[in-house]
Amino acid sequence: MALEKTLYIGPFIHCQDLTTLDICQNGMIGVDEDGKIAFISRSEEAQEVSKQDGWGDAKVVKIDGTGFFFPGFIDTHIHASQYPNAGIFGKSTLLDWLNTYTFPLESSFTDLDKAARIYNRIISRTLSNGTTTACYYATIHVPATNLLADLCLSKGQRAFVGRVCMDSALSPDYYRDESPLTSYHDALACIEHVKTIDPTFSLVSPIITPRFAPSCSKESLNLLGKLHAESHVPVQTHLCENEAEIQLVKDLFPDSKHYTDVYDSAGLLTSKTILAHCCHLSADERSLIKSKNAKISHCPASNAALTSGFAPIRKLLNEGLTVGLGTDVSGGYTPSILAECREALFTSRQLCISSGAGAVKREDDVKLSVEEALFLATRGGAKVVGLEDKIGGFEVGMDWDAQMVRLNLADDELSEDVGLVDIFGHESWDDRVNKWVYGGDDRNTVAVWVKGRLVHRRRGWRG
Amino acid sequence: MALEKTLYIGPFIHCQDLTTLDICQNGMIGVDEDGKIAFISRSEEAQEVSKQDGWGDAKVVKIDGTGFFFPGFIDTHIHASQYPNAGIFGKSTLLDWLNTYTFPLESSFTDLDKAARIYNRIISRTLSNGTTTACYYATIHVPATNLLADLCLSKGQRAFVGRVCMDSALSPDYYRDESPLTSYHDALACIEHVKTIDPTFSLVSPIITPRFAPSCSKESLNLLGKLHAESHVPVQTHLCENEAEIQLVKDLFPDSKHYTDVYDSAGLLTSKTILAHCCHLSADERSLIKSKNAKISHCPASNAALTSGFAPIRKLLNEGLTVGLGTDVSGGYTPSILAECREALFTSRQLCISSGAGAVKREDDVKLSVEEALFLATRGGAKVVGLEDKIGGFEVGMDWDAQMVRLNLADDELSEDVGLVDIFGHESWDDRVNKWVYGGDDRNTVAVWVKGRLVHRRRGWRG
């Protein structure tokens, strides 16, 4: 589908590096018919030159009022099938939560009408919250998983879609793969399906998804490792989420050096592997993950909700590990990566308090900054999914995966429809970004594009 | 202003006690011309009888679709003047945060136009988030503080309005009371003003507000204690927020047994005292607070943001202390008590993790439940402000301080205007409440009443 050449005019903001926002107040970004960034102008003068250079008749999308363009968010860990349970977890922790809330819901995805309703909804919700790329866990069902891939493609969301593999006796009778070979063949069937709808995985990619070590037999892990080696399709799974789970893995895999080694021994730990949670990695595990260049998805809302633990993000970053953010719906209550940024910021502060250094400055570097949270949500996530050359920032040659953010000027009449952020006029650009991160929601994301295609717009917004 | 007798028909939910929600699916609550609850029917049959009993021609307000009536929220600690800084705090902690962000903003409230803009906005924002009662800190300025009281009265929000007292040399030159007598007289002037606009403090009450011990001389604390004894006007202040502050108080008041004793010695610790934060109380201080029946405002968002500490809420509750919730804008980023419930729930879980018991069950009772968070937000807050006989629940004789909550059925067309909560139809009433608490925002609060008066409604809602 050919797109119109488009000029996006107005302030734009993206992450230059982990700690620095690049804020351009007079920006113009030219996006070509393939949805790629053709040029970037950073001043009004440069805009005039650019317009003369073959872009005079391009479509124009302009920021009205107080707002900016920002890269689309990347959700590196979300269970699409669990969305109806978002916010429902009581006082459970991981292992009882799975049995009480999660497996009963996931097992119902034999019903394709139900699957369609839920998958349509979660894709719309994540898009409307600015998520342009999502790494989805589906269920064990091939038809419903394929449906999720179809829906992502038709709604235009960049996605990794994983058929969940779980064959171990620890999985419930009513919801598990019959055998290791079932895990392998059904995973393969979903890969083959995506090849038929998006042969080059240009928008939607399959992803090999062993649920987590306790759900999988050694044999099935080995088969999935073989599939990974044969197909070059990426892998996603869970690692070191909570302490009871880690003990369980020790008991189930007595010959493995540690939890990370379970995946490594099966050939599942590579540069194309996304490991969710990683709250309790040993130094040896961190070093192994780094040597394999595997990636980490930080899911702070879920880790707090299920009291799984504090992932030591500062330490992981300092050691050179690659980290992105994941909402982990429905361990996490929110499908919004912006909300997840808040959770990451607060979790880093709670970890700082818990280390006994809250009131003094000496552990200030445990705290994440707003800039760092936004980096994890964009550039960091892009690295986690292996697309750092295509998405996560605004650079010439990258795809236009972006959102238009609008902030509201505080005036006399309150209208809830424009969101909770109030700009009084004294705020610097940094302040505005802070207000957006702490107070913003989907109402501030008025339009969303993936590969140059408009995939969401708020009612009343005209592109 | 006389009101119409009104029947509120539909499900209603309120807190029966700390751990139990009372959920009535076929409710009808009759509210008389004074805004008081005259009767409560809990079944359709009872409704028929009630209607025949002199309420046949009453106005009817009905829940349409999925929703319920819920008591209005009580914010027991919020700095109205700091609202423009909500979300702006960087990596600061309490004492540097005050000097960097807070004092410069507060000192500008000599400008009454600015004060009017900000106070109008925060009252509208809190009302639209379901806050029917707020304990406000204003600034040191008498005219602006009186304006805040006027605006609360005209907008119909129940409020405690405090002129901030701060005369110590630690306060900046550009923003402090000239002398202890200034603190006393200006506090008195604000009390006198409220007497002229609401003589019985039926909606708006003054509140004596020594900022916190480090901001006040011993002499001014004594004078404010005297004012409290003479006027019977309640008191609000801060206590044991972070460790550097506690050390500072030790240095400043070497003769005091501890921080709490500083207030007690000045006659400021009584059953009408609201103490914000209380993250680091000693056993002796907790016991003193209990013996005086003073009240605690828990502000988890602020405590996380400024890495102040974990207030041990379970311990405080177990020891019989009275606790409510406070947003503490702008130490806290949000003016929403619903969001503060989430922060309280997550903070209790982070404290659970930090105590090393995340993965196991043995410290499960550290975790707050959704029911408990809602109790703190309503009945608990009512006790904190001394109005437990009037507000915080639905009981005959209480005032109708309430909100109508609407939850959205997930269907094919996404409309952001109805909020983020998606109801799929399988949810129990408990599940719905959980979804509201974790996923809800001001869009779910479609109408708000104080003393029977409609003080907020969402665009499009017809009462």
Side-chain angles (χ1 to χ4, degrees):
Chain A
M1 180 175 36
L3 297 161
E4 266 184 284
K5 266 164 87 166
T6 306
L7 295 169
Y8 293 90
I9 300 179
F12 69 79
I13 302 178
H14 64 148
C15 297
Q16 191 170 305
D17 53 42
L18 179 63
T19 55
T20 321
L21 287 180
D22 174 16
I23 299 175
C24 175
Q25 295 185 41
N26 282 298
M28 182 169 81
I29 298 180
V31 174
D32 68 19
E33 292 91 337
D34 297 322
K36 282 193 189 309
I37 297 176
F39 70 87
I40 299 177
S41 297
R42 302 185 61 96
S43 69
E44 282 181 33
E45 299 73 38
Q47 289 183 19
E48 289 315 307
V49 177
S50 305
K51 274 185 199 157
Q52 289 157 23
D53 200 23
W55 288 76
D57 57 351
K59 184 180 167 187
V60 169
V61 175
K62 222 172 175 166
I63 299 280
D64 281 330
T66 303
F68 51 89
F69 295 105
F70 196 83
F73 291 132
I74 295 157
D75 187 343
T76 59
H77 186 74
I78 172 169
H79 295 262
S81 54
Q82 297 172 15
Y83 178 56
N85 277 350
I88 305 176
F89 54 89
K91 285 189 176 181
S92 62
T93 55
L94 176 61
L95 300 177
D96 55 314
W97 170 79
L98 283 170
N99 286 306
T100 309
Y101 300 100
T102 305
F103 293 149
L105 172 59
E106 287 192 17
S107 69
S108 70
F109 277 62
T110 45
D111 177 345
L112 279 178
D113 288 339
K114 180 174 180 179
R117 184 175 183 223
I118 292 167
Y119 286 153
N120 263 308
R121 196 70 176 178
I122 187 61
I123 297 168
S124 296
R125 279 288 181 204
T126 49
L127 283 175
S128 67
N129 280 284
T131 298
T132 48
T133 299
C135 297
Y136 287 123
Y137 284 58
T139 63
I140 69 171
H141 311 98
V142 174
T145 303
N146 291 344
L147 174 64
L148 176 57
D150 295 347
L151 291 172
C152 291
L153 191 66
S154 70
K155 286 174 168 267
Q157 188 173 48
R158 200 184 288 274
F160 295 80
V161 176
R163 185 264 174 198
V164 177
C165 296
M166 43 193 287
D167 72 315
S168 86
L170 277 186
S171 303
D173 290 344
Y174 64 85
Y175 185 54
R176 75 165 170 241
D177 293 338
E178 275 178 30
S179 71
L181 273 175
T182 309
S183 294
Y184 176 87
H185 286 301
D186 284 2
L188 184 60
C190 290
I191 294 173
E192 293 303 322
H193 174 77
V194 179
K195 281 185 184 165
T196 66
I197 61 169
D198 187 4
T200 60
F201 304 157
S202 67
L203 197 75
V204 177
S205 166
I207 186 163
I208 297 165
T209 307
R211 179 170 213 117
F212 71 149
S215 289
C216 301
S217 67
K218 202 163 174 179
E219 200 182 346
S220 95
L221 290 173
N222 286 334
L223 283 170
L224 295 174
K226 180 172 162 274
L227 183 58
H228 178 47
E230 292 164 354
S231 66
H232 307 293
V233 164
V235 172
Q236 61 183 357
T237 189
H238 300 80
L239 178 64
C240 291
E241 184 170 351
N242 93 3
E243 285 164 0
E245 168 214 16
I246 293 168
Q247 187 55 52
L248 184 59
V249 172
K250 260 188 200 153
D251 298 344
L252 291 169
F253 299 85
D255 300 334
S256 291
K257 207 172 154 196
H258 42 55
Y259 195 162
T260 306
D261 180 51
V262 174
Y263 297 133
D264 188 40
S265 309
L268 286 165
L269 195 74
T270 75
S271 65
K272 298 182 86 169
T273 303
I274 303 172
L275 304 160
H277 305 299
C278 297
C279 299
H280 307 278
L281 296 175
S282 65
D284 196 34
E285 289 178 289
R286 296 198 301 276
S287 151
L288 176 59
I289 290 167
K290 194 180 171 194
S291 74
K292 297 288 181 165
N293 197 18
K295 312 302 196 293
I296 293 173
S297 174
H298 177 39
C299 308
S302 167
N303 296 340
L306 303 180
T307 51
S308 299
F310 291 113
I313 296 307
R314 175 67 62 209
K315 186 190 284 182
L316 301 178
L317 292 172
N318 286 350
E319 292 183 2
L321 290 158
T322 303
V323 184
L325 290 183
T327 60
D328 192 26
V329 167
S330 70
Y333 66 90
T334 176
S336 157
I337 284 287
L338 191 68
E340 202 69 29
C341 283
R342 286 195 283 279
E343 297 295 344
L345 290 162
F346 271 30
T347 289
S348 73
R349 280 159 178 74
Q350 305 281 32
L351 177 57
C352 181
I353 295 172
S354 125
S355 67
V360 294
K361 284 272 193 179
R362 73 175 183 276
E363 293 235 7
D364 254 19
D365 74 338
V366 169
K367 297 182 193 177
L368 294 177
S369 65
V370 162
E371 292 80 1
E372 288 170 325
L374 291 173
F375 182 92
L376 298 184
T378 55
R379 300 262 193 192
K383 281 188 198 170
V384 167
V385 301
L387 294 175
E388 65 270 31
D389 295 334
K390 278 197 171 171
I391 59 173
F394 298 142
E395 313 285 348
V396 172
M398 280 190 168
D399 287 348
W400 182 248
D401 282 28
Q403 55 188 310
M404 183 193 280
V405 176
R406 184 181 61 193
L407 303 177
N408 182 48
L409 283 173
D411 45 31
D412 290 339
E413 205 52 53
L414 189 82
S415 164
E416 304 99 333
D417 297 338
V418 295
L420 291 169
V421 178
D422 282 322
I423 299 295
F424 283 85
H426 68 290
E427 298 89 347
S428 68
W429 273 98
D430 280 325
D431 290 343
R432 290 172 198 203
V433 172
N434 277 264
K435 284 196 160 191
W436 173 51
V437 169
Y438 281 108
D441 61 32
D442 56 318
R443 288 171 284 188
N444 299 107
T445 292
V446 295
V448 181
W449 296 266
V450 174
K451 291 184 81 171
R453 175 181 166 196
L454 182 70
V455 291
H456 170 74
R457 64 172 173 177
R458 257 187 80 68
R459 207 188 51 185
W461 181 82
R462 276 156 228 215
Chain B
M1 180 173 41
L3 298 160
E4 266 184 283
K5 268 164 84 167
T6 306
L7 295 169
Y8 294 91
I9 300 178
F12 69 82
I13 302 177
H14 64 150
C15 298
Q16 190 169 307
D17 53 41
L18 180 63
T19 55
T20 321
L21 287 180
D22 174 17
I23 299 175
C24 175
Q25 294 185 41
N26 282 298
M28 181 169 81
I29 298 179
V31 175
D32 67 19
E33 294 90 337
D34 297 322
K36 283 193 189 309
I37 297 175
F39 69 88
I40 299 176
S41 296
R42 302 185 61 97
S43 69
E44 282 180 35
E45 299 72 38
Q47 289 182 20
E48 290 315 307
V49 177
S50 304
K51 274 185 198 156
Q52 289 158 21
D53 200 22
W55 288 77
D57 57 350
K59 184 179 168 187
V60 169
V61 175
K62 224 172 173 167
I63 300 279
D64 280 331
T66 303
F68 51 90
F69 296 104
F70 196 82
F73 291 132
I74 296 158
D75 188 343
T76 59
H77 187 74
I78 172 168
H79 294 262
S81 54
Q82 295 172 16
Y83 178 55
N85 277 351
I88 305 176
F89 54 89
K91 285 189 177 182
S92 62
T93 54
L94 176 61
L95 300 178
D96 56 313
W97 170 78
L98 283 170
N99 286 305
T100 309
Y101 300 100
T102 306
F103 293 149
L105 172 60
E106 287 192 18
S107 68
S108 70
F109 277 62
T110 46
D111 177 346
L112 278 176
D113 288 339
K114 180 174 180 180
R117 183 173 184 225
I118 293 167
Y119 286 153
N120 263 308
R121 196 70 177 178
I122 187 62
I123 298 168
S124 296
R125 278 289 180 203
T126 49
L127 283 175
S128 67
N129 280 284
T131 299
T132 48
T133 300
C135 296
Y136 287 123
Y137 284 58
T139 63
I140 69 171
H141 312 97
V142 174
T145 303
N146 291 344
L147 175 64
L148 176 57
D150 296 346
L151 292 172
C152 290
L153 191 66
S154 71
K155 286 173 168 269
Q157 188 174 47
R158 200 184 289 273
F160 295 79
V161 175
R163 184 265 174 197
V164 177
C165 297
M166 44 194 285
D167 73 316
S168 86
L170 276 187
S171 303
D173 290 344
Y174 64 86
Y175 186 53
R176 74 162 171 243
D177 292 339
E178 276 178 32
S179 72
L181 273 175
T182 309
S183 294
Y184 176 85
H185 286 302
D186 284 3
L188 185 60
C190 290
I191 295 174
E192 293 303 322
H193 175 76
V194 179
K195 281 185 184 166
T196 67
I197 62 169
D198 188 3
T200 61
F201 304 158
S202 66
L203 198 75
V204 177
S205 167
I207 186 163
I208 297 165
T209 307
R211 181 171 212 116
F212 71 149
S215 289
C216 300
S217 68
K218 203 167 175 175
E219 200 183 346
S220 95
L221 290 173
N222 286 334
L223 282 169
L224 295 173
K226 182 172 160 275
L227 183 59
H228 179 46
E230 291 164 354
S231 66
H232 308 293
V233 164
V235 172
Q236 61 184 355
T237 190
H238 301 78
L239 178 64
C240 292
E241 184 169 352
N242 92 3
E243 285 165 359
E245 169 214 18
I246 293 169
Q247 187 55 53
L248 183 60
V249 172
K250 261 188 201 155
D251 297 343
L252 292 169
F253 299 86
D255 300 335
S256 291
K257 207 170 153 197
H258 41 54
Y259 195 162
T260 306
D261 181 50
V262 174
Y263 296 133
D264 189 39
S265 308
L268 286 165
L269 195 75
T270 75
S271 66
K272 298 182 86 170
T273 302
I274 304 171
L275 304 161
H277 304 301
C278 297
C279 298
H280 307 278
L281 296 175
S282 66
D284 196 33
E285 289 178 289
R286 296 198 301 275
S287 151
L288 177 59
I289 291 167
K290 194 183 171 192
S291 73
K292 297 288 182 167
N293 197 17
K295 313 301 197 293
I296 292 172
S297 173
H298 176 39
C299 308
S302 168
N303 296 340
L306 303 179
T307 50
S308 299
F310 291 112
I313 297 307
R314 174 67 62 209
K315 187 191 284 182
L316 301 180
L317 292 172
N318 285 351
E319 292 183 4
L321 290 157
T322 303
V323 184
L325 290 182
T327 59
D328 192 27
V329 167
S330 70
Y333 66 89
T334 176
S336 157
I337 285 288
L338 192 68
E340 203 68 31
C341 283
R342 285 195 283 277
E343 297 296 344
L345 290 162
F346 272 30
T347 290
S348 74
R349 280 159 178 73
Q350 305 280 31
L351 177 58
C352 182
I353 295 172
S354 127
S355 67
V360 294
K361 284 271 193 180
R362 71 173 184 277
E363 292 235 9
D364 253 18
D365 73 340
V366 170
K367 296 183 194 176
L368 294 177
S369 66
V370 162
E371 293 79 3
E372 288 170 324
L374 291 172
F375 182 91
L376 298 184
T378 55
R379 300 261 193 193
K383 281 188 199 173
V384 167
V385 301
L387 294 176
E388 65 269 32
D389 295 335
K390 277 196 172 173
I391 58 174
F394 297 142
E395 313 286 348
V396 172
M398 281 190 168
D399 288 348
W400 182 247
D401 282 28
Q403 55 186 311
M404 183 194 279
V405 176
R406 184 181 60 192
L407 303 177
N408 182 48
L409 283 172
D411 44 34
D412 290 338
E413 205 54 53
L414 188 81
S415 164
E416 305 100 332
D417 297 338
V418 294
L420 292 168
V421 178
D422 282 323
I423 299 297
F424 284 84
H426 69 291
E427 297 90 347
S428 67
W429 273 99
D430 280 324
D431 289 344
R432 290 171 198 204
V433 173
N434 276 265
K435 284 196 162 193
W436 173 51
V437 169
Y438 281 107
D441 60 31
D442 57 318
R443 287 171 284 188
N444 300 107
T445 292
V446 294
V448 181
W449 297 264
V450 175
K451 289 184 83 171
R453 175 180 165 196
L454 182 70
V455 291
H456 170 76
R457 63 171 173 179
R458 259 188 78 71
R459 209 188 51 186
W461 182 81
R462 277 159 227 205

